[in-house]
Structure formats: C-alpha cells, structure tokens
Amino acid sequence: MSIEKRVTFGSKLGVVLATVGCAVGLGNIWRFPYMTGVNGGAAFLLIYFVCIIFLGFPVMVTEFFIGRKSRRNAAGAFKVMAPGTKWSIIGYNGVFAAFFILGFYAVVSGWTLEYIYQAFSGSLSGKSAIDFKEDFDSFAGSDFRPILWTFLFVLMTHLIIISGVKKGIERASKIMMPILFLILIILCVRSVTLPNAHLGLDFLFKPDFSKINSSVILSAMGQAFFSLSIGMGCLITYSSYFGKETNLQHTALQVTVLDTLVAILAGIMIFPAVFSFGIEPTAGPELVFITLPNVFNQLPLGNIWSLIFFILLGVAALTSTISLHEVATAYMHEEYKMTRSRAALFVSGGILILGIISSLSMGRLSDYTIFGLNFFDFLDYITAKIMLPLGGMLICIYVGFRVDRKVLKAELTNEGTVPFYFFNTYAFFMKYVAPIAIGLIFLNELGLLSKFQKLFV
Ligand code: PFF
C-alpha cells in the first residue's frame, strides 16, 4: 500500500477518541478493579501510577513514532524501518498477542451482552448479593450461553472492521466514548454516597506498603501495559492512520491521562460498593459483575441503570476489540495481500476458536490447566504480564539504539513545527529506564534477582 493512499482518521477529535477508544475498555472497568482488589488496593494503585508515568507514556510515544513514520501495520512497520533484520519479531509478538487477548477479552465482552439482556428482561432486580454471585458463577461456567454471546460480540467487531477505518472505527468511537465518561461519573456519585463508602475509598487510596511484593509489581506493570494498549503494536497500527499534522506527544498525553482517569473512576465506582455490600474485594474476574448490579438495585429504576451501564461497558469493550482485531487484520491484509474482508474473516475465526476454549475453561474444561492456570487466566497472564511488557521493552531497545535521534525528534516534533520540551528526558527513559526496569521486574518475578543478590551479599 503506498504511503499517499493510506487512509487516515478524519479529524483531530477522531484521532484522540479512536485511540482513547482503543485504550479504554474492559481493562479499565473490569480488569483494573479486580486486579486492584486481588493485589491489595492502594499500594497496587501507587505502583500502577509509577508504571504509567515512567514506562507507559514513553512506550506509547515511541509506538506513535514507529506507526506514523512507517505507515504500516505492527509487523510491516519494522520491515520498512529495519529491512532485512529480525526486529519485525516485535510485530509478530503483537499479532499473536492480539489473538490471545481477544481469546479471553471477547468472552468477557460477551458477558456484558448477557447482562444487557438480563437488565432488559428485568431479571436483575430483587436479588441479594449472594444471588448475584451464584448466578454469575453458574452463567459463566455453563456451556452454551457464554459462547453464544462471545460469537455475537465477535460478529459485531467483525462488521465494524469490514466497514473500514474512518466509517467504522472513528465514527463508533466518537459517539460512544463521551457517553461512557458521563455515565461513569454519575455512578461514582451513587457509589460514594452508599453506607460505609469510606472503607472502599480507604482501600483504594490509603496504601499499605507491606502488601508490595514482586508479583504485585509485575501485575501493576502488566495492568499498565494492558490498559494503555501498549507493547503489542496496536498503537503502531492506529498511529499509522494519523495524519501528518497530528501532535504525537499531545495525543499520547491525552490518551494516557484519560485512560488513567477512567480506571480511577472505575475504582471509585466499584470499591465503595464492594465494602458497602460486604463483597470480598479479592473476588477476581467476577467482581464488577456481582458488585454493580447490587449498586443498581439500590437505585430507583435499577434495571434502567443496569441496562445503561452494561451497554456502555459493552461499547467500551467494542472500541477495544476492534483495535485488537485491526492489529491482526491490517497485518494479514497488508503483508499477505488479502482483501480486508478475507483477512478479517480469518481473524474472527481464530478468535472464536480461542474464545470457545477459554469460555469452557471456566466450566467444563476447568480441570485442564497450564502452569496451574485455566486457559482463560493463562491467556490473560501470558499477554499482560509477558508479551506486552516484552514487546514494550524491545520497541524501546530498537528505537533507542537503532534509530537516529534526529529522525526520532523530527517525527515527534512534526519536522520541528511543534516543540518537545522534555525530549531528552523522554529519550533517556525510553532508551534506558524502561528496558532496564522491565527487565528487572521480569528477573525479580522469576526469582533470579534474589539469587543474583545472594552471590554478592
Ligand atoms: N486497553 C484495552 C483495555 O483496557 O480494555 C485492552 C487492549 C486493547 C489491550 C488493545 C491491548 C490492545 F492492543
């Protein structure tokens, strides 16, 4: 595909909202609260912030550089920028990560459809907290229903993808993201006015440093990468559709801030309610699905609130599933010269197979484990905690050591037309801090760091 002919997003707002749409999703509203709950609350949040600022932001800017400079998909980008080398392995890692993430993400997205259906049919009202938990467990563990919803969700994603970049991705994001913000704020207000809400706020904002250990740090880093959609070329693919005038630094800053804001709002929406209803914050993946219907039951017109919320959760999921799908579709379309719709068909088929296995791994196949994790958790683990940080580390090493500083600066400043005040600080973090920190966190988690220390102490 020639550079001139490549489609771009139609407007500045379109760029930001499509990219925010990619970043903001189940990762913020479903995964962030449950990860925070499992990893001890505020201490996790603190490390998460550190990871966002010092690792997430520099990696995002670097991905934008690669995408807009090369104007290609995640793997093709490295073929353009580093022809004849092995760097495109970063892109392949990303394409596989997109499949693997969608393998569990599409299942959770399907759950949102079940809850929309239940809210619509009125069956969420009049239940106790225990009922919500039991009903969720029996639904998620059943054979047929979750798979049907997963299929429907993949179908919706597929249809948007084949309508193209501008009409499909950009238009969908522009309408859906602002509504999501509004509804989140309203729900936060409701949650913090529940009895005992302060316990939830303490859990979220008062750190207990004794809770920090290597696995909490790895989880926080994984969450930062997952939430910002970095480390796997998704933002390389999206920024390949940015126009020449897009300010890459501002866009990265806006996306990072908005994504983090949505995660915090989700925390404020969930934890006061968790404590108010006596639910365990460590409940795991089901946390949002058992907590929020409880909150809505306390409101007049509870079913309508549930309906609105789950529609929005589904929408947030959809703007992310399309971005994940796009990574693989753009790769197959451009590198194998397939038509876009044929490429999309292959991708959707692959996701469905993984989705079916991971849905069944919550029930019928739960005895089959990989490294002690069911298939659903395994896909989550290897993507968020291994493939994305590894991808981010390699992206930084590639740009830090293989790309001429002047070329980097020219792209990030739109050929010198916009200033980049902290360019040297950014470059230092990208080249040294991010790769070393990610490497150390990996070593630490593998237990190798303490063995190494013992050699010297
Ligand atoms: N960032 C998305 C979320 O928070 O739900 C998930 C995601 C989308 C991860 C796209 C990675 C990606 F490339």
Side-chain angles (χ1 to χ4, degrees):
M1 178 171 297
S2 78
I3 289 182
E4 289 69 30
K5 273 210 260 135
R6 193 176 185 79
V7 257
T8 52
F9 290 124
S11 65
K12 210 164 149 188
L13 188 68
V15 164
V16 174
L17 289 184
T19 318
V20 171
C22 157
V24 172
L26 295 175
N28 308 63
I29 302 169
W30 161 73
R31 199 176 186 279
F32 171 78
Y34 102 68
M35 277 285 147
T36 308
V38 170
N39 288 292
F44 172 87
L45 182 64
L46 201 69
I47 302 174
Y48 175 70
F49 282 151
V50 172
C51 291
I52 291 277
I53 297 168
F54 296 110
L55 307 180
F57 180 73
V59 175
M60 186 181 287
V61 172
T62 311
E63 284 202 32
F64 283 173
F65 159 74
I66 297 174
R68 197 181 56 182
K69 179 90 195 143
S70 67
R71 316 206 108 211
R72 288 281 285 275
N73 60 80
F78 294 92
K79 293 192 189 156
V80 173
M81 296 189 58
T85 67
K86 299 252 177 316
W87 288 106
S88 43
I89 201 163
I90 300 173
Y92 300 126
N93 174 63
V95 174
F96 277 108
F99 270 109
F100 292 167
I101 292 177
L102 277 167
F104 70 92
Y105 204 94
V107 174
V108 182
S109 306
W111 295 347
T112 64
L113 297 183
E114 164 76 15
Y115 276 71
I116 292 171
Y117 170 76
Q118 287 198 23
F120 195 70
S121 62
S123 53
L124 286 179
S125 45
K127 288 188 194 172
S128 67
I130 305 276
D131 294 336
F132 279 117
K133 179 170 166 34
E134 283 175 355
D135 290 354
F136 175 86
D137 289 343
S138 86
F139 157 70
S142 62
D143 282 346
F144 182 65
R145 273 179 95 89
I147 292 178
L148 176 72
W149 293 125
T150 305
F151 173 78
L152 275 179
F153 210 91
V154 173
L155 185 67
M156 291 193 306
T157 309
H158 183 89
L159 293 177
I160 297 183
I161 285 289
I162 57 176
S163 358
V165 170
K166 225 183 226 176
K167 272 211 223 121
I169 302 178
E170 185 175 347
R171 195 192 298 156
S173 313
K174 254 184 173 168
I175 303 173
M176 301 185 217
M177 297 322 291
I179 309 179
L180 177 74
F181 262 103
L182 195 69
I183 196 82
L184 269 180
I185 291 171
I186 298 174
L187 291 175
C188 284
V189 173
R190 171 65 273 208
S191 193
V192 297
T193 48
L194 287 168
N196 289 329
H198 66 278
L199 295 176
L201 294 175
D202 286 353
F203 180 77
L204 186 60
F205 293 118
K206 278 206 185 139
D208 170 357
F209 292 102
S210 68
K211 298 246 164 82
I212 298 178
N213 58 38
S214 75
S215 127
V216 170
I217 298 175
L218 183 70
S219 298
M221 175 172 75
Q223 178 59 25
F225 275 74
F226 188 87
S227 190
L228 292 176
S229 305
I230 52 177
M232 53 164 291
C234 191
L235 296 181
I236 294 181
T237 309
Y238 264 40
S239 54
S240 75
Y241 305 129
F242 289 179
K244 277 203 304 290
E245 67 302 328
T246 300
N247 185 329
L248 300 180
Q249 312 153 45
H250 282 180
T251 309
L253 194 65
Q254 281 161 334
V255 174
T256 307
V257 169
L258 287 174
D259 186 75
T260 310
L261 197 67
V262 173
I264 296 171
L265 286 177
I268 298 176
M269 171 176 78
I270 307 274
F271 287 109
V274 164
F275 283 84
S276 185
F277 297 119
I279 296 166
E280 283 303 320
T282 50
E286 62 200 56
L287 187 67
V288 171
F289 291 89
I290 55 180
T291 311
L292 285 175
N294 263 308
V295 179
F296 301 130
N297 264 347
Q298 314 290 310
L299 296 172
L301 303 176
N303 261 322
I304 309 255
W305 284 106
S306 293
L307 188 64
I308 300 174
F309 175 77
F310 284 109
I311 289 177
L312 286 170
L313 189 58
V315 163
L318 189 60
T319 52
S320 297
T321 53
I322 52 186
S323 70
L324 285 157
H325 200 302
E326 181 65 19
V327 173
T329 304
Y331 165 69
M332 294 177 84
H333 169 51
E334 290 170 16
E335 302 306 310
Y336 295 100
K337 308 282 174 264
M338 283 182 195
T339 60
R340 223 180 124 80
S341 26
R342 199 182 161 83
L345 208 60
F346 271 107
V347 176
S348 298
I351 301 164
L352 268 181
I353 295 171
L354 290 176
I356 291 172
I357 306 174
S358 72
S359 178
L360 291 175
S361 77
M362 312 285 278
R364 186 179 287 274
L365 300 182
S366 58
D367 288 342
Y368 295 90
T369 56
I370 312 171
F371 300 120
L373 300 170
N374 68 24
F375 192 65
F376 179 104
D377 290 333
F378 173 73
L379 290 182
D380 182 311
Y381 189 95
I382 49 159
T383 50
K385 294 188 185 160
I386 299 177
M387 295 173 88
L388 305 193
L390 194 66
M393 179 164 130
L394 292 175
I395 285 171
C396 292
I397 294 177
Y398 165 66
V399 174
F401 292 92
R402 286 275 171 265
V403 171
D404 185 340
R405 259 311 152 88
K406 287 202 198 89
V407 175
L408 177 65
K409 191 163 185 185
E411 188 68 33
L412 292 177
T413 57
N414 295 354
E415 306 299 330
T417 54
V418 291
F420 193 160
Y421 296 112
F422 301 103
F423 177 76
N424 288 337
T425 316
Y426 148 75
F428 177 75
F429 272 86
M430 180 265 295
K431 186 169 178 179
Y432 299 108
V433 179
I436 292 173
I438 297 170
L440 288 177
I441 295 171
F442 276 145
L443 290 179
N444 194 21
E445 176 63 10
L446 291 172
L448 295 180
L449 212 57
S450 56
K451 285 197 187 119
F452 190 68
Q453 269 170 352
K454 278 190 203 125
L455 287 176
F456 293 93
V457 183

